[in-house]
Amino acid sequence: MQRRDFVRCSMALGTALALPRARAQTRTAVPASLAPNPAEFRKAMADFIGKAKPLETGLKLDLPVLADNPSAVPVHVTVTLPLSDTLYCKELILLAEQNPSPLACRFQFTPYTGTAEAAARLRLSQSQTVHALARLSDGRVLAARQAITVAASGCGM
Amino acid sequence: MAVKPPRVWVSSVKPARGEVVRVRAQIEHLMESGLRVDPAGNPRPRNIVRSFEARLGPQLIFRWEPGIGIAQNPYIEFTFLARESGELLMLWTDEANATQEARKTITLS
Amino acid sequence: MNRRDFLLTPPAMALGMAGAPLAAMAGPAILTRESRILPREGKGPRVVICGGGWGGMTAARYLRQLIPNAEVILLERNPTFWSGPMSNKWLIDVVSTDFVHHDAQHPANVYGYTRLQTEVIGFERERRLVRTAHGLIDYDFLILSGGIRNAYDAWFGNDQKAIDHTRNHYPSAYIPNAEMLALKQKVKNFKGGTLVMTLPPPPHRCPPSPYERACLIAWHIKKNKIPGKILILDPKPKVAPISMGYQTAFRELYPDIITHIPNAGVQEVDPFNKRIKTLAGEFKFDDAILMPPHQAAEMVWQAGLIGKTPDGKPTGWADMDPRFFHARSDDRVYFVGDLMGHISSQFGHYPKSAHVANYIGRIVARNIAERVAGKEVIARLPDNLCYMMVNADPQEAISVKFEYEVDAASGNVHQTQIDEDVRTNDLVKEDFVWIKDKFSDFLAL
């Protein structure tokens, strides 16, 4: 690997220059397979939703329309329904539909939280749709989604 | 895990009762996805932060389970309703069972 | 140019030549710009460095260290060193003048290089000569590390009156030393109204970070209850880097003071009537910090080493090898710091930061040392680290790191950006550790 870089960089340098042969310093890494995993995406959705009928209101998902840095895409989720001591959000998941591992993360809240809001940063392998699903303590499931365009190539993983 | 301490910001350490307290926290961690290879072509072993837990006193108020789709140096933001005073303890654990923690004392005003 | 410098008597020269060996004064009684100055000492290679900022001073130190018999000559127009990093904090007195302003002769004495205060006015590369206001200096290797120039011509063409008026009344304060003092006066005297900041389009020098500058001036406005607002006219589509950390600071700390206007590339500036036309509309200002586009320092133009776009226009930056930092057309000439050109199709330029200049200064010194020793030259990669204070009470900062690696498939340099958006006092403390470490690296503090 290092040998190959060595050769490549020497060529890039241009033979016209009377420089000694140069060795490139590599610290990385080609990303391995970043292919989507649609089966896993469908399973993660189905596992979370179960027999519930997802409601398209009450869950707010914020993320940029265009990600200039696909290795750290800010995402923010909030359950906007009024919560109480008896009604709280049990868990909330974020799914990146085309990522090699679609389930990006899971948030869990408790009756002590009093709110259901979180923000994190995703790595996205390509342009795709990001989904959020929330399960309330009364069994309701809330859903939201948004498409996002990834500007640079998918080195985010 | 990383050498640098967790970065933690709390909107108020002396909130009024019923006030929404916002917490932002970030640690340095490679979040190695297991999908990358090293310069010799060998896969880099996966090791990501597998859980983040925030407790106020004994009560769990927030838990986060990142997957490999979470960015390096994971950033997490959450809120909670201030209902009692106590120590806010935040604990990160990675898949090699290395941990980091941060504390903030929350006192109702 | 400076015709009055044409004739220089040795005593006048001595004033400008602190630290130059006395031997240089010997010879003709009248020196002209055509006179050779600084005759060779010893048999070692001679490296002339044009520009004594972060990168140039670092290269000087490491060249002396890595090539013990090298003669290293550093040319710099300013009498003293003024740091871009920390200068925003200095604007609002978080640090004193002594913190950003340092003796530049001291490191030359400690590390054993010659510092000559002079103006670089041209090059004769085929004869390996630098033309200075004091005379001609020959070299074996040349390092250009003169930083940036303010490309006012992009706004005003040849209208020197508009350029001078803008420079005098609305200084950009990206280039030490005098404009830094002028900006501080401006901030201290600001009585209210709309203060406009036009941000340079990327790639541009940073530090001083324009967003940090906005935050800290806003903090000053807030603390002193000045009825003022800051309007940031940003050519970029959003705040970047550390987008979230900055936007959070604008929103939470200075909601009534800072307004950020994206996609506001400057089209026309009327500095006399205080109006700016941008792609996002027209704005009037009461006071302003007008930051024109940046380009490589004049010396790169003088050396004829500015890159060309495919359609033959100047890129504005050095035409250089992205892994070895020498000119594509002249491998005796190296570039260090903000004037460097394109690196990678993935991210464009390395950040034009002090951290990168310092890092490349070390890399280039090693590369020259390897060549002098007849060894294989290793292509090394820098990293980058910047801390930006967003709040002065309590003191809180955010941070961004950039890591570089070679993409094995394409051979391109690849950048990973790590934003630390959670503003904390820890990052302020780390910033001070960082700067102390850097200052000790090239200022011998």
Side-chain angles (χ1 to χ4, degrees):
Chain A
M1 203 59 137
Q2 222 150 7
R3 260 309 109 176
R4 275 180 31 222
D5 289 340
F6 168 30
V7 171
R8 207 168 264 124
C9 285
S10 299
M11 290 191 323
L13 177 65
T15 42
L17 291 167
L19 270 180
R21 285 197 317 160
R23 181 154 55 80
Q25 170 194 12
T26 50
R27 288 190 196 154
T28 194
V30 206
S33 166
L34 293 178
N37 191 336
E40 198 180 315
F41 170 71
R42 283 193 299 271
K43 181 173 187 304
M45 290 284 276
D47 285 352
F48 192 90
I49 295 168
K51 295 200 167 79
K53 260 194 135 165
L55 304 168
E56 303 273 329
T57 55
L59 178 60
K60 192 161 169 281
L61 169 68
D62 274 320
L63 69 155
V65 178
L66 179 75
D68 50 3
N69 179 10
S71 59
V73 179
V75 54
H76 185 268
V77 279
T78 317
V79 174
T80 55
L81 295 178
L83 301 174
S84 66
D85 287 345
T86 48
L87 177 67
Y88 67 99
C89 176
K90 285 183 117 156
E91 57 178 345
L92 197 162
I93 60 171
L94 291 175
L95 297 130
E97 193 171 331
Q98 306 283 328
N99 264 10
S101 176
L103 180 60
C105 72
R106 184 183 305 269
F107 305 108
Q108 289 172 311
F109 307 92
T110 74
Y112 299 98
T113 316
T115 59
E117 176 180 356
R121 281 186 196 155
L122 307 179
R123 321 192 236 216
L124 298 177
S125 58
Q126 57 182 283
S127 296
Q128 55 184 294
T129 299
V130 172
H131 300 252
L133 293 171
R135 188 195 325 284
L136 303 183
S137 54
D138 62 6
R140 279 183 288 173
V141 169
L142 313 177
R145 64 181 173 274
Q146 191 196 305
I148 180 166
T149 303
V150 166
S153 64
C155 291
M157 301 303 286
Chain B
M1 271 195 176
V3 222
K4 298 236 165 109
R7 318 294 184 190
V8 176
W9 177 90
V10 176
S11 59
S12 173
V13 290
K14 290 180 181 141
R17 185 178 300 275
E19 183 180 334
V20 173
V21 178
R22 183 172 301 275
V23 181
R24 302 184 176 124
Q26 192 176 5
I27 59 164
E28 293 204 4
H29 195 285
L30 268 179
M31 297 291 283
E32 194 60 65
S33 64
L35 299 179
R36 303 198 305 169
V37 293
D38 67 17
N42 302 312
R44 298 186 189 205
R46 168 176 158 149
N47 183 20
I48 63 170
V49 171
R50 64 177 163 86
S51 77
F52 166 85
E53 283 184 0
R55 287 171 195 275
L56 188 64
Q59 307 297 353
L60 181 70
I61 54 170
F62 180 71
R63 184 179 156 83
W64 181 39
E65 291 171 10
I68 62 168
I70 292 298
Q72 276 192 5
N73 308 303
Y75 172 92
I76 185 67
E77 179 175 331
F78 64 96
T79 59
F80 67 92
L81 214 54
R83 282 185 281 211
E84 50 194 289
S85 299
E87 189 176 56
L88 178 67
L89 171 65
M90 284 155 281
L91 178 71
W92 289 260
T93 309
D94 74 7
E95 290 174 330
N97 290 322
T99 61
Q100 285 197 57
E101 60 176 60
R103 293 160 198 269
K104 292 272 176 184
T105 302
I106 305 291
T107 313
L108 286 192
S109 63
Chain C
M1 276 228 172
N2 281 319
R3 282 299 154 210
R4 60 199 167 79
D5 287 345
F6 195 73
L7 286 179
L8 281 175
T9 56
M13 240 189 90
L15 281 176
M17 284 192 58
L22 276 177
M25 308 303 165
I30 304 275
L31 292 176
T32 74
R33 282 181 171 177
E34 298 305 317
S35 309
R36 292 274 193 126
I37 57 169
L38 302 179
R40 294 262 181 161
E41 291 183 328
K43 292 203 172 105
R46 175 184 271 192
V47 187
V48 175
I49 302 168
C50 300
W54 281 66
M57 288 173 92
T58 305
R61 180 226 159 129
Y62 284 97
L63 282 163
R64 285 291 300 125
Q65 192 171 315
L66 296 167
I67 318 174
N69 69 342
E71 196 188 344
V72 178
I73 297 169
L74 178 75
L75 311 177
E76 165 59 40
R77 61 155 74 111
N78 285 302
T80 51
F81 171 81
W82 199 291
S83 176
M86 297 287 168
S87 67
N88 284 330
K89 298 182 216 4
W90 164 82
L91 279 183
I92 58 154
D93 297 318
V94 172
V95 297
S96 69
T97 302
D98 287 348
F99 196 92
V100 290
H101 182 228
H102 293 278
D103 178 11
Q105 188 54 45
H106 170 69
N109 297 346
V110 170
Y111 301 126
Y113 59 86
T114 300
R115 183 181 199 271
L116 174 61
Q117 191 193 336
T118 189
E119 192 84 21
V120 170
I121 55 177
F123 302 89
E124 289 180 40
R125 288 191 284 114
E126 61 290 351
R127 293 166 67 203
R128 292 193 197 135
L129 289 174
V130 183
R131 288 187 165 272
T132 75
H134 290 81
L136 299 166
I137 304 169
D138 68 295
Y139 64 83
D140 297 310
F141 294 97
L142 179 67
I143 295 177
L144 300 184
S145 49
I148 56 159
R149 74 181 283 269
N150 283 316
Y152 284 112
D153 38 321
W155 289 353
F156 302 121
N158 294 328
D159 185 352
Q160 196 58 40
K161 208 175 137 209
I163 292 173
D164 290 343
H165 189 86
T166 302
R167 196 192 298 277
N168 293 335
H169 291 82
Y170 310 111
S172 171
Y174 264 98
I175 302 175
N177 298 356
E179 287 190 6
M180 299 281 185
L181 290 159
L183 176 58
K184 188 155 182 169
Q185 282 304 314
K186 181 187 287 292
V187 172
K188 297 273 160 175
N189 294 334
F190 184 61
K191 297 287 187 294
T194 300
L195 176 73
V196 157
M197 290 175 64
T198 60
L199 268 50
H204 68 80
R205 166 174 285 184
C206 180
S209 153
Y211 301 121
E212 179 191 55
R213 190 179 272 180
C215 284
L216 295 185
I217 296 175
W219 180 83
H220 171 83
I221 287 172
K222 184 164 92 170
K223 181 187 156 225
N224 295 295
K225 301 189 170 63
I226 299 165
K229 293 190 185 308
I230 297 174
L231 191 60
I232 303 173
L233 300 180
D234 195 340
K236 297 195 287 292
K238 66 168 209 174
V239 177
I242 335 139
S243 184
M244 193 201 281
Y246 270 127
Q247 280 172 330
T248 307
F250 293 170
R251 191 179 65 239
E252 292 180 351
L253 300 172
Y254 314 111
D256 304 323
I257 300 174
I258 294 181
T259 306
H260 176 262
I261 314 271
N263 297 310
V266 171
Q267 293 181 299
E268 274 175 52
V269 180
D270 180 348
F272 305 105
N273 294 303
K274 303 185 181 179
R275 284 172 187 280
I276 297 178
K277 206 172 138 192
T278 75
L279 293 168
E282 229 179 298
F283 301 89
K284 272 189 72 76
F285 58 84
D286 298 300
D287 206 340
I289 304 169
L290 299 179
M291 310 175 188
H294 295 172
Q295 288 179 339
E298 307 281 357
M299 60 176 68
V300 187
W301 303 77
Q302 290 163 343
L305 294 173
I306 292 288
K308 282 209 166 61
T309 60
D311 53 350
K313 296 202 179 93
T315 61
W317 305 99
D319 183 29
M320 58 170 223
D321 184 280
R323 301 302 318 280
F324 297 95
F325 310 108
H326 58 73
R328 282 187 206 275
S329 57
D330 184 345
D331 72 356
R332 294 282 178 152
V333 183
Y334 283 84
F335 302 103
V336 170
D338 298 350
L339 47 67
M340 297 193 302
H342 187 266
I343 300 294
S344 164
S345 55
Q346 187 230 354
F347 59 87
H349 290 228
Y350 283 135
K352 302 198 176 294
S353 75
H355 186 99
V356 166
N358 168 260
Y359 212 126
I360 304 289
R362 264 179 286 163
I363 290 174
V364 164
R366 289 183 72 171
N367 283 4
I368 293 174
E370 283 159 353
R371 284 179 71 179
V372 166
K375 289 184 190 159
E376 184 183 50
V377 177
I378 295 167
R380 296 176 178 84
L381 294 161
D383 61 19
N384 185 47
L385 179 58
C386 293
Y387 299 93
M388 279 81 30
M389 186 177 272
V390 292
N391 190 6
D393 187 20
Q395 290 188 357
E396 292 174 320
I398 54 181
S399 163
V400 63
K401 286 199 281 194
F402 294 84
E403 291 173 355
Y404 297 97
E405 52 205 5
V406 173
D407 182 55
S410 66
N412 276 341
V413 181
H414 186 272
Q415 172 177 283
T416 305
Q417 177 182 328
I418 303 157
D419 290 348
E420 293 208 66
D421 295 85
V422 179
R423 59 174 191 268
T424 66
N425 183 257
D426 287 353
L427 287 169
V428 176
K429 291 184 186 130
E430 283 175 30
D431 190 10
F432 281 94
V433 170
W434 172 82
I435 193 113
K436 281 193 175 128
D437 176 56
K438 294 295 162 208
F439 278 175
S440 76
D441 191 48
F442 67 92
L443 291 175
L445 291 179

